[in-house]
Amino acid sequence: MPRAEITDLLLLEELLTDEEKAARDTVARFVDREVLPIIGHHFREGTFPAHLIPGLAEMGVLGANLQGYGCAGMNTVSYGLILQELERGDSGLRSFASVQGSLCMFPIHAYGSDEQKERFLPGMAQGRLIGCFGLTEPDFGSNPGGMRTRAVKDGDTWVLNGAKAWITNGAIADVAVVWAKTEEGGAESVRGFLVEKGMPGFSAREIPGKFSLRASVTSELSFQDVRVPERNVLPKVTGLRGPLSCLNNARLGIAFAVTGAAIACFEGAREYALARKQFDGKSIAGYQLTQEKLADMLQEIVKAQLLSLRLARLKDAGKATPVMVSLAKRNNVKAALEIARTARGVYGANGVTDAYPPIRHMLNLESVFTYEGTHEVHTLVLGKAITGLDAFN
C-alpha cells in the first residue's frame, strides 16, 4: 500500500536529518518486503517470526541507540523512527527489538562490568544472543518494590529463587536480566543478575491463550535455587533505580513507536474507504461520518508525531525527564488504540478479520496500553507532577 502524503500534514519530514530519514527508510523497506507479507500468518498461528532476527541485526536495529560493541550508535530520533516502522509491521516484532535493546542491552551497557559488556553485547547486537528482562512478577507489576524474588549470597555465588511473569522473549532468551532483592529485603537491596540459559534451576515457559501480541514470545520464568556467579551480577547499580531507568529508556521508544500502528490503521482505512462503494456506487470516503473518523485519526497521529519528535530531541540534549516520558507514553498509546478501534469501524464487518490490519493492531495495543507502566500509573505520575501530591500511597 503506498504511503499517504497527508500523513505528514505538518511537514515533519523537513525536521529530520538525512541520517534519520535513511535509518527510517531502511527499516520501512524491510517491513514492507519481509514483515507485512507474513505477519498475519504468524499472528494467526501464535508464532514469532524468528527468521527475521538476522535482518534486524544487519540493519543495526538491536541496541541501535547504544555506542560501541557493534551497536549502531543512532540518536534517539533515529531509534524512535525505526521502532515506529517495526510497529507499523507489528507490535510483537517491535517488542522484541525494544526488549533486546532497551531492557537487556542497555542495563549491561550502563551498569555492567567491562567483561560483561564484551561477553554479551556484541552477540546481542548481532542477534546471536537473545535477551529478556525479568522484573514483573505474578503478583507484582505496577509495584515492583513488592517483588518476592530473592538472591542470597553463598560464597562466590548467589542463590536465586522466585518467579517472573509476562516476560517478552523469555522462552527464547539466552540471557535474562533478572532483578531480585538481596538479603536486606528492601527495595534498595535490589540487584541485577545475568541468568544464562541452561543454568540449573532456571526454566521458562510460554504463556498460553494470548489474544494480544500473538506474534511474540511471552513467558513465565522460574528460579529454583539457581546459582548465579558473582561475575554475572551487574556491579554498577543497586536499588530500583536500575530497573526503573531501563523502563524509562524503553518507554520513550514505545511512545514514539506506537504511532506506526496508528499510521498503518489510518492509511489502511483511508484506502479501504476510497475503494469501498455503497449506496448508488458512491465511495464511503465521500460520506461525512467517514470523513470525520479519518480527520480524527489524522489529528491524533500528527499530535503524537510532534510529541515524539520533541521528546526525542530533548532526550538527545540530555533534558528529557521521566514525567515527560510518562506524558508521551500515556498520550500516544491511548491515541493509537483509539485510532485502531476507529479504523476497525471503517472496515465494517471486514474489520474483525485478520485480512486487514486494524483488529491485529488493536489487540496488540491493548497490551502496550498496560505494559511499561499502565495507563493509570502514568496518569498518577502526571498527577503528582501537577499537584505535588502522591496518589500512589
Side-chain angles (χ1 to χ4, degrees):
M1 182 181 68
R3 303 303 300 271
E5 186 176 343
I6 191 67
T7 307
D8 188 28
L9 181 62
L10 263 62
L11 307 180
L12 268 67
E13 190 80 1
E14 297 180 359
L15 302 179
L16 303 178
T17 67
D18 289 342
E19 291 79 8
E20 290 161 355
K21 294 175 189 175
R24 177 200 62 195
D25 293 347
T26 297
V27 177
R29 288 190 293 269
F30 177 85
V31 169
D32 290 341
R33 182 181 68 250
E34 304 292 342
V35 179
L36 294 180
I38 57 94
I39 198 63
H41 169 78
H42 282 281
F43 188 90
R44 183 181 294 184
E45 298 299 318
T47 54
F48 174 65
H51 69 282
L52 298 176
I53 294 175
L56 296 177
E58 185 177 348
M59 293 184 294
V61 167
L62 306 180
N65 58 343
L66 301 178
Q67 300 287 336
Y69 305 97
C71 300
M74 296 181 188
N75 69 6
T76 305
V77 174
S78 295
Y79 180 58
L81 288 168
I82 65 175
L83 291 184
Q84 176 182 278
E85 292 305 317
L86 291 180
E87 182 87 21
R88 184 171 62 85
D90 190 80
S91 281
L93 190 62
R94 194 270 309 147
S95 292
F96 166 81
S98 291
V99 168
Q100 178 83 347
S102 290
L103 294 182
C104 298
M105 296 176 71
F106 169 76
I108 296 172
H109 191 276
Y111 306 125
S113 66
D114 290 341
E115 187 272 336
Q116 289 168 351
K117 295 175 189 179
E118 293 289 352
R119 182 154 48 109
F120 291 107
L121 292 179
M124 297 181 81
Q126 297 164 13
R128 293 187 292 103
L129 296 177
I130 305 305
C132 68
F133 178 82
L135 179 63
T136 298
E137 297 189 355
D139 295 320
F140 294 95
S142 296
N143 176 26
M147 72 172 69
R148 296 190 178 118
T149 300
R150 292 290 191 275
V152 178
K153 191 73 180 293
D154 182 22
D156 59 354
T157 65
W158 292 80
V159 181
L160 190 64
N161 282 281
K164 302 294 182 179
W166 305 108
I167 308 302
T168 298
N169 300 347
I172 61 171
D174 299 288
V175 57
V177 180
V178 179
W179 303 93
K181 290 179 179 176
T182 55
E183 289 96 327
E184 296 85 356
E188 291 307 309
S189 76
V190 170
R191 300 290 301 274
F193 299 84
L194 304 179
V195 181
E196 297 181 67
K197 184 177 183 178
M199 285 183 170
F202 172 42
S203 62
R205 71 172 189 90
E206 285 201 56
I207 295 174
K210 291 186 302 177
F211 283 86
S212 179
L213 294 178
R214 289 182 54 76
S216 177
V217 175
T218 309
S219 309
E220 292 181 345
L221 308 182
S222 176
F223 312 96
Q224 297 183 1
D225 293 329
V226 179
R227 288 193 169 269
V228 181
E230 183 68 35
R231 70 192 288 254
N232 278 34
V233 181
L234 296 177
K236 298 179 182 179
V237 70
T238 59
L240 286 176
R241 181 176 68 89
L244 294 182
S245 68
C246 301
L247 291 172
N248 200 56
N249 190 50
R251 285 165 183 159
L252 192 153
I254 291 166
F256 209 128
V258 290
T259 310
I263 289 170
C265 292
F266 166 73
E267 292 186 340
R270 175 181 174 274
E271 289 291 315
Y272 184 86
L274 288 167
R276 179 75 167 176
K277 309 294 183 183
Q278 287 291 323
F279 306 112
D280 299 325
K282 182 178 178 180
S283 168
I284 65 171
Y287 288 97
Q288 292 178 1
L289 290 177
T290 302
Q291 291 193 357
E292 181 185 34
K293 292 175 183 178
L294 294 170
D296 286 344
M297 287 190 273
L298 178 62
Q299 171 182 289
E300 295 307 313
I301 286 171
V302 171
K303 287 160 61 178
Q305 289 174 327
L306 288 166
L307 183 54
S308 296
L309 182 58
R310 175 59 177 163
L311 179 61
R313 294 285 187 226
L314 287 170
K315 175 70 161 57
D316 284 333
K319 297 179 181 179
T321 68
V323 174
M324 295 176 187
V325 175
S326 284
L327 175 66
K329 200 271 184 181
R330 182 179 186 274
N331 179 83
N332 291 5
V333 177
K334 180 180 180 181
L337 181 55
E338 291 300 325
I339 286 167
R341 290 169 175 165
T342 301
R344 206 289 308 159
V346 172
Y347 284 88
N350 286 329
V352 304
T353 73
D354 60 7
Y356 300 98
I359 193 69
R360 175 169 54 84
H361 285 296
M362 186 180 81
L363 291 169
N364 285 338
L365 287 165
E366 289 288 355
S367 289
V368 185
F369 193 76
T370 296
Y371 74 36
E372 303 292 354
T374 67
H375 185 81
E376 293 80 4
V377 163
H378 290 298
T379 299
L380 298 184
V381 169
L382 289 168
K384 181 179 178 180
I386 293 165
T387 66
L389 302 175
D390 188 351
F392 287 97
N393 296 322

